[in-house]
Coordinates of all heavy atoms in Angstrom, one line a residue:
M1 N -116.4 -18.8 308.2 CA -115.7 -20.0 308.6 C -114.3 -20.0 308.0 O -114.2 -19.8 306.8 CB -116.4 -21.3 308.3 CG -115.8 -22.5 308.8 SD -116.8 -23.9 308.6 CE -116.0 -24.8 307.3
F2 N -113.3 -20.2 308.7 CA -111.9 -20.2 308.2 C -111.5 -21.6 307.8 O -111.8 -22.6 308.4 CB -111.0 -19.8 309.4 CG -109.5 -19.8 309.0 CD1 -109.1 -18.8 308.1 CD2 -108.7 -20.7 309.4 CE1 -107.7 -18.8 307.7 CE2 -107.4 -20.8 309.0 CZ -106.9 -19.8 308.2
M3 N -110.9 -21.7 306.7 CA -110.4 -22.9 306.1 C -108.9 -23.0 306.4 O -108.2 -22.0 306.2 CB -110.7 -23.0 304.6 CG -110.3 -24.4 304.0 SD -110.8 -24.5 302.3 CE -112.5 -24.5 302.4
S4 N -108.4 -24.2 306.7 CA -107.0 -24.4 307.0 C -106.1 -24.2 305.8 O -106.6 -24.4 304.7 CB -106.7 -25.7 307.7 OG -106.9 -26.7 306.8
E5 N -104.9 -23.9 306.0 CA -103.9 -23.7 304.8 C -103.8 -25.0 304.1 O -103.7 -25.0 302.9 CB -102.6 -23.3 305.4 CG -102.5 -21.9 305.9 CD -101.2 -21.6 306.5 OE1 -100.3 -22.5 306.6 OE2 -101.0 -20.4 306.9
S6 N -103.8 -26.1 304.8 CA -103.6 -27.4 304.1 C -104.8 -27.7 303.2 O -104.6 -28.2 302.1 CB -103.5 -28.5 305.2 OG -104.6 -28.6 306.0
F7 N -106.0 -27.4 303.5 CA -107.1 -27.6 302.6 C -107.1 -26.6 301.5 O -107.6 -27.0 300.4 CB -108.5 -27.6 303.4 CG -108.8 -28.9 304.1 CD1 -108.9 -28.9 305.4 CD2 -108.9 -30.0 303.4 CE1 -109.2 -30.1 306.1 CE2 -109.2 -31.2 304.0 CZ -109.3 -31.3 305.3
L8 N -106.6 -25.4 301.7 CA -106.5 -24.5 300.6 C -105.4 -25.1 299.6 O -105.7 -25.0 298.3 CB -106.0 -23.1 301.1 CG -107.1 -22.3 301.8 CD1 -106.5 -21.0 302.4 CD2 -108.3 -22.0 300.9
L9 N -104.3 -25.6 300.1 CA -103.4 -26.2 299.2 C -104.0 -27.4 298.5 O -103.7 -27.7 297.3 CB -102.1 -26.7 300.0 CG -101.2 -25.5 300.5 CD1 -100.1 -26.1 301.4 CD2 -100.6 -24.8 299.3
L10 N -104.8 -28.2 299.2 CA -105.5 -29.3 298.5 C -106.4 -28.9 297.4 O -106.4 -29.5 296.3 CB -106.3 -30.1 299.6 CG -107.0 -31.3 299.0 CD1 -106.1 -32.4 298.5 CD2 -107.9 -31.9 300.1
M11 N -107.1 -27.8 297.6 CA -107.9 -27.3 296.5 C -107.1 -26.8 295.4 O -107.5 -27.0 294.2 CB -108.8 -26.1 297.1 CG -109.9 -26.7 298.0 SD -111.1 -25.6 298.7 CE -110.7 -24.0 298.3
L12 N -106.0 -26.2 295.6 CA -105.1 -25.8 294.5 C -104.6 -27.0 293.8 O -104.5 -27.0 292.5 CB -103.9 -24.9 295.0 CG -104.3 -23.5 295.5 CD1 -103.1 -22.9 296.1 CD2 -104.8 -22.7 294.3
W13 N -104.3 -28.0 294.5 CA -103.8 -29.3 293.9 C -104.9 -29.9 293.0 O -104.7 -30.3 291.9 CB -103.4 -30.3 294.9 CG -102.8 -31.6 294.4 CD1 -101.5 -31.8 294.1 CD2 -103.5 -32.7 294.0 NE1 -101.4 -33.1 293.5 CE2 -102.6 -33.7 293.5 CE3 -104.9 -33.1 294.1 CZ2 -103.0 -35.0 293.1 CZ3 -105.2 -34.4 293.7 CH2 -104.3 -35.3 293.2
G14 N -106.1 -29.8 293.5 CA -107.3 -30.3 292.7 C -107.5 -29.5 291.4 O -107.8 -30.1 290.4
L15 N -107.3 -28.2 291.5 CA -107.4 -27.4 290.3 C -106.3 -27.7 289.3 O -106.5 -27.8 288.1 CB -107.4 -25.9 290.7 CG -108.6 -25.3 291.4 CD1 -108.3 -23.9 291.8 CD2 -109.8 -25.4 290.5
G16 N -105.1 -28.0 289.9 CA -104.0 -28.5 289.0 C -104.4 -29.8 288.3 O -104.0 -30.0 287.1
A17 N -105.0 -30.7 289.1 CA -105.4 -32.0 288.5 C -106.5 -31.8 287.4 O -106.4 -32.5 286.4 CB -105.9 -32.9 289.6
L18 N -107.4 -30.9 287.6 CA -108.4 -30.6 286.6 C -107.7 -30.0 285.3 O -108.1 -30.4 284.2 CB -109.4 -29.6 287.1 CG -110.5 -30.2 288.1 CD1 -111.3 -29.0 288.7 CD2 -111.3 -31.2 287.4
A19 N -106.8 -29.1 285.6 CA -106.0 -28.5 284.4 C -105.2 -29.6 283.7 O -105.2 -29.6 282.4 CB -105.1 -27.4 284.9
A20 N -104.6 -30.5 284.4 CA -103.9 -31.6 283.8 C -104.8 -32.5 282.9 O -104.5 -32.9 281.8 CB -103.1 -32.4 284.8
G21 N -106.0 -32.8 283.5 CA -107.0 -33.6 282.7 C -107.5 -32.8 281.5 O -107.6 -33.4 280.4
Y22 N -107.7 -31.5 281.6 CA -108.1 -30.8 280.5 C -107.0 -30.7 279.4 O -107.3 -30.9 278.2 CB -108.5 -29.3 280.9 CG -108.9 -28.4 279.8 CD1 -110.1 -28.6 279.2 CD2 -108.0 -27.5 279.3 CE1 -110.5 -27.8 278.1 CE2 -108.4 -26.7 278.2 CZ -109.6 -26.8 277.6 OH -109.9 -26.0 276.6
L23 N -105.8 -30.5 279.8 CA -104.7 -30.4 278.8 C -104.5 -31.8 278.2 O -104.1 -31.9 277.0 CB -103.4 -30.0 279.5 CG -103.4 -28.5 279.9 CD1 -102.1 -28.3 280.8 CD2 -103.5 -27.6 278.8
G24 N -104.8 -32.9 278.9 CA -104.7 -34.2 278.3 C -105.7 -34.4 277.2 O -105.5 -35.2 276.3
N25 N -106.9 -33.8 277.3 CA -107.9 -33.9 276.3 C -107.6 -33.1 275.1 O -108.3 -33.3 274.1 CB -109.3 -33.4 276.9 CG -109.9 -34.4 277.8 OD1 -109.5 -35.6 277.8 ND2 -110.7 -34.0 278.7
Q26 N -106.7 -32.2 275.1 CA -106.4 -31.4 274.0 C -105.4 -32.0 273.0 O -104.9 -31.3 272.1 CB -105.9 -30.0 274.5 CG -106.9 -29.3 275.3 CD -108.2 -29.1 274.7 OE1 -108.3 -28.6 273.5 NE2 -109.3 -29.4 275.4
G27 N -105.1 -33.3 273.1 CA -104.2 -33.9 272.2 C -102.7 -33.6 272.5 O -101.9 -33.6 271.6
A28 N -102.4 -33.2 273.7 CA -101.0 -32.9 274.0 C -100.1 -34.2 273.9 O -100.6 -35.3 274.0 CB -100.9 -32.4 275.5
P29 N -98.8 -34.0 273.7 CA -98.0 -35.2 273.6 C -98.0 -36.1 274.9 O -98.2 -35.6 276.0 CB -96.6 -34.6 273.4 CG -96.8 -33.2 273.0 CD -98.1 -32.8 273.6
R30 N -97.7 -37.3 274.7 CA -97.8 -38.3 275.8 C -96.7 -37.9 276.8 O -97.0 -38.1 278.0 CB -97.5 -39.7 275.3 CG -98.6 -40.2 274.5 CD -98.3 -41.7 274.0 NE -99.1 -41.9 272.8 CZ -98.7 -42.4 271.7 NH1 -97.4 -42.7 271.6 NH2 -99.5 -42.5 270.7
R31 N -95.6 -37.5 276.4 CA -94.5 -37.1 277.4 C -95.0 -36.0 278.3 O -94.8 -36.0 279.5 CB -93.3 -36.7 276.6 CG -92.2 -36.3 277.6 CD -90.9 -36.0 276.8 NE -89.9 -35.6 277.7 CZ -88.7 -35.3 277.4 NH1 -88.4 -35.2 276.1 NH2 -87.8 -34.9 278.3
G32 N -95.7 -35.1 277.8 CA -96.3 -34.0 278.6 C -97.3 -34.5 279.6 O -97.4 -34.0 280.7
Q33 N -98.1 -35.5 279.2 CA -99.1 -36.1 280.1 C -98.4 -36.8 281.3 O -98.8 -36.6 282.4 CB -100.0 -37.0 279.4 CG -100.9 -36.4 278.4 CD -101.6 -37.4 277.5 OE1 -101.2 -38.5 277.3 NE2 -102.8 -37.0 277.0
R34 N -97.3 -37.5 281.0 CA -96.6 -38.2 282.0 C -95.9 -37.2 283.0 O -95.8 -37.4 284.2 CB -95.5 -39.1 281.4 CG -96.2 -40.3 280.8 CD -95.2 -41.3 280.2 NE -95.8 -42.4 279.6 CZ -95.4 -42.9 278.5 NH1 -94.3 -42.5 277.9 NH2 -96.0 -43.9 277.9
Q35 N -95.4 -36.1 282.4 CA -94.8 -35.1 283.2 C -95.8 -34.4 284.2 O -95.5 -34.1 285.3 CB -94.1 -34.0 282.4 CG -92.8 -34.5 281.7 CD -92.3 -33.5 280.7 OE1 -92.9 -32.5 280.3 NE2 -91.0 -33.7 280.3
R36 N -97.0 -34.2 283.7 CA -98.0 -33.6 284.5 C -98.4 -34.6 285.6 O -98.6 -34.2 286.8 CB -99.3 -33.2 283.7 CG -99.0 -32.0 282.8 CD -100.3 -31.5 282.2 NE -100.8 -32.4 281.1 CZ -100.3 -32.3 279.8 NH1 -99.5 -31.4 279.5 NH2 -100.8 -33.1 278.9
L37 N -98.5 -35.9 285.3 CA -98.8 -36.9 286.4 C -97.7 -36.9 287.4 O -98.0 -37.0 288.6 CB -99.0 -38.2 285.8 CG -100.3 -38.5 285.1 CD1 -100.3 -39.8 284.3 CD2 -101.5 -38.5 286.1
A38 N -96.5 -36.8 287.0 CA -95.3 -36.8 287.9 C -95.4 -35.6 288.8 O -95.1 -35.6 290.0 CB -94.0 -36.9 287.2
A39 N -95.7 -34.4 288.2 CA -95.8 -33.2 288.9 C -96.9 -33.2 290.0 O -96.7 -32.8 291.1 CB -96.0 -32.0 288.0
L40 N -98.0 -33.8 289.6 CA -99.2 -33.9 290.5 C -98.8 -34.8 291.7 O -99.1 -34.6 292.8 CB -100.4 -34.4 289.8 CG -101.2 -33.4 289.0 CD1 -102.3 -34.1 288.2 CD2 -101.8 -32.3 289.9
T41 N -98.1 -35.9 291.4 CA -97.7 -36.8 292.4 C -96.7 -36.2 293.3 O -96.8 -36.3 294.6 CB -97.1 -38.1 291.8 OG1 -98.1 -38.7 291.0 CG2 -96.7 -39.1 292.9
G42 N -95.7 -35.5 292.8 CA -94.6 -34.8 293.5 C -95.1 -33.7 294.4 O -94.6 -33.5 295.5
T43 N -96.2 -33.0 294.0 CA -96.7 -31.9 294.8 C -97.8 -32.4 295.7 O -98.0 -31.9 296.8 CB -97.3 -30.8 293.9 OG1 -98.3 -31.4 293.1 CG2 -96.2 -30.1 293.1
G44 N -98.4 -33.6 295.4 CA -99.5 -34.1 296.2 C -99.0 -34.7 297.5 O -99.6 -34.7 298.6
I45 N -97.8 -35.3 297.5 CA -97.2 -36.0 298.7 C -97.0 -35.0 299.8 O -97.4 -35.3 300.9 CB -96.0 -36.8 298.3 CG1 -96.4 -38.0 297.4 CG2 -95.2 -37.3 299.5 CD1 -95.2 -38.7 296.8
P46 N -96.3 -33.9 299.6 CA -96.2 -32.9 300.7 C -97.5 -32.3 301.2 O -97.7 -32.1 302.4 CB -95.3 -31.8 300.1 CG -94.7 -32.4 298.9 CD -95.6 -33.4 298.4
V47 N -98.5 -32.1 300.3 CA -99.8 -31.6 300.7 C -100.5 -32.7 301.6 O -101.1 -32.3 302.6 CB -100.6 -31.2 299.4 CG1 -102.1 -30.9 299.8 CG2 -100.0 -30.1 298.7
L48 N -100.4 -33.9 301.2 CA -101.0 -35.0 302.0 C -100.3 -35.0 303.4 O -101.0 -35.2 304.4 CB -100.8 -36.3 301.3 CG -101.2 -37.6 302.0 CD1 -102.7 -37.5 302.3 CD2 -100.8 -38.8 301.3
G49 N -99.0 -34.9 303.4 CA -98.4 -34.9 304.7 C -98.8 -33.7 305.6 O -99.0 -33.9 306.8
Y50 N -99.0 -32.6 305.0 CA -99.4 -31.4 305.7 C -100.8 -31.5 306.2 O -101.1 -31.2 307.4 CB -99.3 -30.2 304.8 CG -99.4 -28.8 305.4 CD1 -99.0 -28.6 306.7 CD2 -100.0 -27.7 304.7 CE1 -99.1 -27.3 307.3 CE2 -100.1 -26.5 305.3 CZ -99.7 -26.3 306.6 OH -99.8 -25.0 307.1
I51 N -101.7 -32.1 305.4 CA -103.1 -32.3 305.8 C -103.1 -33.3 307.0 O -103.8 -33.1 308.0 CB -103.9 -32.8 304.7 CG1 -104.2 -31.6 303.7 CG2 -105.2 -33.4 305.1 CD1 -104.9 -32.0 302.5
T52 N -102.3 -34.4 306.9 CA -102.3 -35.4 307.9 C -101.8 -34.8 309.2 O -102.3 -35.1 310.3 CB -101.4 -36.6 307.5 OG1 -101.9 -37.1 306.3 CG2 -101.4 -37.7 308.5
A53 N -100.7 -33.9 309.1 CA -100.2 -33.3 310.3 C -101.2 -32.4 311.0 O -101.3 -32.3 312.2 CB -98.9 -32.6 310.0
Q54 N -102.0 -31.7 310.2 CA -102.9 -30.7 310.8 C -104.2 -31.3 311.2 O -104.8 -30.9 312.2 CB -103.2 -29.6 309.7 CG -102.2 -28.5 309.7 CD -102.7 -27.3 308.9 OE1 -103.7 -27.4 308.2 NE2 -102.0 -26.2 309.2
H55 N -104.7 -32.4 310.5 CA -106.0 -32.9 310.8 C -106.1 -34.3 311.2 O -107.2 -34.8 311.4 CB -106.9 -32.7 309.5 CG -107.1 -31.3 309.1 ND1 -107.9 -30.4 309.8 CD2 -106.4 -30.5 308.1 CE1 -107.8 -29.2 309.2 NE2 -106.9 -29.2 308.2
G56 N -105.0 -35.0 311.3 CA -105.0 -36.4 311.8 C -104.9 -37.4 310.7 O -105.1 -37.1 309.5
P57 N -104.7 -38.7 311.2 CA -104.5 -39.7 310.2 C -105.8 -40.2 309.4 O -105.7 -40.6 308.3 CB -104.0 -40.9 311.1 CG -104.4 -40.6 312.5 CD -104.5 -39.1 312.5
W58 N -106.9 -40.0 310.0 CA -108.1 -40.4 309.3 C -108.4 -39.5 308.1 O -108.8 -40.0 307.0 CB -109.3 -40.6 310.2 CG -109.2 -41.7 311.2 CD1 -109.0 -41.6 312.5 CD2 -109.2 -43.1 310.9 NE1 -108.8 -42.9 313.0 CE2 -109.0 -43.8 312.0 CE3 -109.3 -43.8 309.7 CZ2 -108.9 -45.2 312.1 CZ3 -109.3 -45.2 309.7 CH2 -109.1 -45.9 310.9
V59 N -108.3 -38.2 308.4 CA -108.5 -37.3 307.3 C -107.4 -37.5 306.2 O -107.6 -37.4 305.0 CB -108.5 -35.8 307.8 CG1 -108.6 -34.8 306.7 CG2 -109.7 -35.6 308.8
G60 N -106.2 -37.7 306.7 CA -105.1 -38.0 305.8 C -105.3 -39.2 304.9 O -105.1 -39.2 303.7
L61 N -105.9 -40.3 305.5 CA -106.2 -41.5 304.7 C -107.3 -41.2 303.7 O -107.2 -41.7 302.6 CB -106.7 -42.6 305.7 CG -107.0 -43.9 305.1 CD1 -105.8 -44.5 304.4 CD2 -107.6 -44.9 306.1
L62 N -108.3 -40.4 304.1 CA -109.4 -40.1 303.2 C -108.8 -39.3 302.0 O -109.1 -39.5 300.8 CB -110.5 -39.3 303.9 CG -111.6 -38.8 303.0 CD1 -112.4 -40.0 302.5 CD2 -112.5 -37.9 303.8
V63 N -108.0 -38.3 302.3 CA -107.4 -37.5 301.2 C -106.4 -38.3 300.3 O -106.4 -38.2 299.1 CB -106.6 -36.3 301.8 CG1 -105.8 -35.6 300.8 CG2 -107.6 -35.3 302.5
L64 N -105.7 -39.3 300.9 CA -104.9 -40.2 300.2 C -105.7 -41.0 299.2 O -105.4 -41.1 298.0 CB -104.1 -41.1 301.1 CG -103.3 -42.3 300.4 CD1 -102.1 -41.7 299.7 CD2 -102.9 -43.3 301.4
L65 N -106.9 -41.5 299.6 CA -107.7 -42.3 298.7 C -108.3 -41.5 297.6 O -108.4 -41.9 296.5 CB -108.8 -43.0 299.6 CG -108.3 -44.1 300.5 CD1 -109.5 -44.6 301.4 CD2 -107.7 -45.2 299.8
L66 N -108.7 -40.2 298.0 CA -109.2 -39.3 296.9 C -108.2 -39.0 295.9 O -108.4 -38.9 294.7 CB -109.8 -38.1 297.6 CG -111.1 -38.3 298.4 CD1 -111.5 -37.0 299.2 CD2 -112.2 -38.7 297.5
G67 N -107.0 -38.7 296.4 CA -105.9 -38.4 295.5 C -105.5 -39.5 294.6 O -105.3 -39.4 293.4
F68 N -105.6 -40.7 295.2 CA -105.3 -41.9 294.4 C -106.3 -42.1 293.3 O -106.0 -42.4 292.1 CB -105.2 -43.2 295.2 CG -105.0 -44.4 294.5 CD1 -103.8 -44.7 293.9 CD2 -106.1 -45.3 294.3 CE1 -103.6 -45.9 293.2 CE2 -105.9 -46.5 293.5 CZ -104.6 -46.8 293.0
A69 N -107.6 -41.8 293.6 CA -108.6 -41.9 292.6 C -108.4 -41.0 291.4 O -108.6 -41.3 290.3 CB -110.0 -41.7 293.2
V70 N -108.1 -39.7 291.8 CA -107.8 -38.7 290.7 C -106.6 -39.1 289.9 O -106.7 -39.1 288.6 CB -107.5 -37.3 291.4 CG1 -107.0 -36.3 290.4 CG2 -108.8 -36.8 292.1
L71 N -105.5 -39.5 290.5 CA -104.4 -39.9 289.7 C -104.6 -41.2 288.9 O -104.2 -41.3 287.7 CB -103.2 -40.1 290.6 CG -102.6 -38.8 291.2 CD1 -101.5 -39.2 292.2 CD2 -102.2 -37.9 290.1
A72 N -105.4 -42.1 289.4 CA -105.7 -43.3 288.6 C -106.6 -43.0 287.4 O -106.4 -43.6 286.3 CB -106.5 -44.3 289.5
A73 N -107.5 -42.1 287.6 CA -108.3 -41.7 286.4 C -107.5 -41.0 285.3 O -107.6 -41.3 284.1 CB -109.5 -40.8 286.9
L74 N -106.6 -40.1 285.8 CA -105.7 -39.5 284.8 C -104.7 -40.5 284.1 O -104.5 -40.4 282.9 CB -104.9 -38.4 285.5 CG -105.7 -37.1 285.9 CD1 -104.8 -36.2 286.7 CD2 -106.3 -36.4 284.7
M75 N -104.2 -41.4 284.9 CA -103.3 -42.4 284.4 C -104.1 -43.3 283.4 O -103.5 -43.7 282.4 CB -102.7 -43.3 285.5 CG -101.7 -44.2 285.0 SD -100.3 -43.2 284.3 CE -99.0 -44.3 284.3
A76 N -105.3 -43.6 283.6 CA -106.1 -44.4 282.7 C -106.2 -43.7 281.3 O -106.1 -44.4 280.3 CB -107.5 -44.7 283.3
R77 N -106.4 -42.4 281.4 CA -106.4 -41.6 280.1 C -105.1 -41.7 279.4 O -105.0 -41.8 278.2 CB -106.8 -40.2 280.4 CG -108.2 -40.0 280.7 CD -108.5 -38.5 280.7 NE -109.8 -38.3 281.1 CZ -110.6 -37.3 280.7 NH1 -110.1 -36.4 279.9 NH2 -111.8 -37.3 281.1
V78 N -104.0 -41.6 280.1 CA -102.7 -41.6 279.5 C -102.5 -43.0 278.9 O -102.0 -43.1 277.7 CB -101.6 -41.3 280.5 CG1 -100.2 -41.6 280.0 CG2 -101.6 -39.9 281.0
L79 N -102.8 -44.1 279.6 CA -102.6 -45.4 279.0 C -103.5 -45.7 277.9 O -103.1 -46.4 276.9 CB -102.8 -46.5 280.1 CG -101.7 -46.5 281.2 CD1 -102.1 -47.5 282.3 CD2 -100.4 -46.8 280.7
Q80 N -104.7 -45.1 277.9 CA -105.6 -45.3 276.8 C -105.1 -44.7 275.5 O -105.2 -45.2 274.5 CB -106.9 -44.6 277.2 CG -108.1 -45.1 276.4 CD -109.4 -44.5 277.0 OE1 -109.4 -43.3 277.3 NE2 -110.4 -45.3 277.1
R81 N -104.4 -43.5 275.7 CA -103.8 -42.9 274.5 C -102.6 -43.6 274.0 O -102.3 -43.7 272.8 CB -103.5 -41.4 274.8 CG -104.7 -40.6 274.9 CD -104.3 -39.1 275.1 NE -105.6 -38.4 275.2 CZ -105.8 -37.4 274.4 NH1 -105.0 -37.0 273.5 NH2 -107.0 -36.7 274.5
V82 N -101.8 -44.2 275.0 CA -100.6 -44.9 274.6 C -101.0 -46.2 273.8 O -100.4 -46.5 272.8 CB -99.8 -45.3 275.8 CG1 -98.7 -46.3 275.5 CG2 -99.2 -44.0 276.4
D83 N -102.1 -46.8 274.3 CA -102.5 -48.1 273.6 C -103.2 -47.8 272.3 O -103.4 -48.7 271.5 CB -103.5 -48.9 274.5 CG -102.8 -49.4 275.7 OD1 -101.5 -49.6 275.6 OD2 -103.5 -49.8 276.7
G84 N -103.6 -46.6 272.1 CA -104.3 -46.2 270.9 C -105.8 -46.5 270.9 O -106.5 -46.6 269.9
S85 N -106.3 -46.9 272.1 CA -107.7 -47.2 272.2 C -108.6 -46.0 272.0 O -108.2 -44.8 272.4 CB -108.0 -47.8 273.6 OG -107.2 -48.9 273.8
P86 N -109.7 -46.1 271.4 CA -110.6 -44.9 271.2 C -111.2 -44.4 272.5 O -111.4 -45.2 273.4 CB -111.7 -45.4 270.3 CG -111.7 -46.9 270.5 CD -110.3 -47.3 270.9
G87 N -111.4 -43.1 272.5 CA -112.2 -42.5 273.5 C -111.7 -42.2 274.8 O -112.2 -41.9 275.8

């Protein structure tokens, strides 16, 4: 079965999000965490547009919600470190 280019890009974006989360756990500086979040957002928007163009608005909406959940989880980690909260 062939996978579309847009879903391959989405999988690469997901791997980048996993890497950003892993690097955030290694005690990296807060500025680096914010830069990674900005990079994920900046690269995710064109990927979302490409997926929506290829597969329609409902798939695009689903991917938007999934991407938002990933970025919200990473942002919660950044804010947790900024506030100095444990864990």
Side-chain angles (χ1 to χ4, degrees):
M1 183 169 109
F2 179 74
M3 186 176 293
S4 68
E5 292 174 355
S6 59
F7 278 118
L8 289 174
L9 288 174
L10 179 64
M11 289 185 352
L12 287 174
W13 184 89
L15 289 173
L18 285 172
Y22 177 75
L23 290 172
N25 284 337
Q26 300 302 314
R30 290 182 204 129
R31 181 176 178 181
Q33 291 171 336
R34 290 183 182 142
Q35 288 174 345
R36 285 189 289 274
L37 283 172
L40 283 172
T41 302
T43 57
I45 292 170
V47 171
L48 175 64
Y50 192 32
I51 286 175
T52 304
Q54 278 194 342
H55 299 284
W58 291 111
V59 175
L61 181 63
L62 178 65
V63 171
L64 174 69
L65 294 174
L66 291 172
F68 178 73
V70 169
L71 291 176
L74 290 174
M75 188 59 162
R77 283 188 185 212
V78 170
L79 291 176
Q80 201 173 44
R81 288 184 180 237
V82 169
D83 291 339
S85 303

